[in-house]
Amino acid sequence: MVRRAQPERTCVGCRQRAPASELLRIVAIGDEAGHSLRPDPRRRLPGRGANMHPDPACFALAVRRRAFGRALRITEVLDHGELAEHVDAPTTTSGQPDRARVASRVGRPT
């Protein structure tokens, strides 16, 4: 049986290397107000991505070190709101946030 190598990426928060399947891909989406960070768990959004463990500690380190701007090559201030909600949300067995709990935290009906 032939084993294929798994792609590895570096977490922008803790700087540890891990298989890409264990890391959350993050992209910057630009609009007239600036850029905001969006989680890309399915790894399908276009553009340059940064990778991070889906852990609040790694998120806090990345924000403190201003690592998202460097990794995504963006010089302006980034909005972390949606990414913070995703990282802090309880996860289901699929590794994705529980949509009902996220919606209740932000006051949206499910």
Side-chain angles (χ1 to χ4, degrees):
M1 175 179 239
V2 177
R3 288 178 40 152
R4 298 178 64 175
Q6 296 270 334
E8 283 194 345
R9 303 287 184 261
T10 302
C11 173
V12 296
C14 66
R15 305 290 299 152
Q16 297 292 317
R17 292 188 59 81
S21 60
E22 293 178 12
L23 300 173
L24 175 65
R25 182 172 185 261
I26 298 148
V27 296
I29 306 294
D31 59 11
E32 61 278 348
H35 284 85
S36 61
L37 297 177
R38 302 273 171 85
D40 184 17
R42 295 185 310 143
R43 308 179 87 72
R44 300 283 187 260
L45 293 176
R48 185 172 194 82
N51 294 282
M52 179 186 76
H53 288 105
D55 178 20
C58 286
F59 174 72
L61 278 170
V63 170
R64 189 178 77 211
R65 293 178 47 241
R66 297 184 186 120
F68 292 116
R70 282 193 306 276
L72 298 170
R73 297 183 181 171
I74 296 174
T75 56
E76 64 188 59
V77 176
L78 300 168
D79 176 23
H80 303 103
E82 187 173 337
L83 181 59
E85 287 179 10
H86 183 85
V87 170
D88 290 338
T91 56
T92 62
T93 56
S94 68
Q96 304 301 316
D98 183 3
R99 298 285 180 213
R101 289 185 184 176
V102 170
S104 68
R105 291 173 86 187
V106 294
R108 292 186 203 141
T110 55

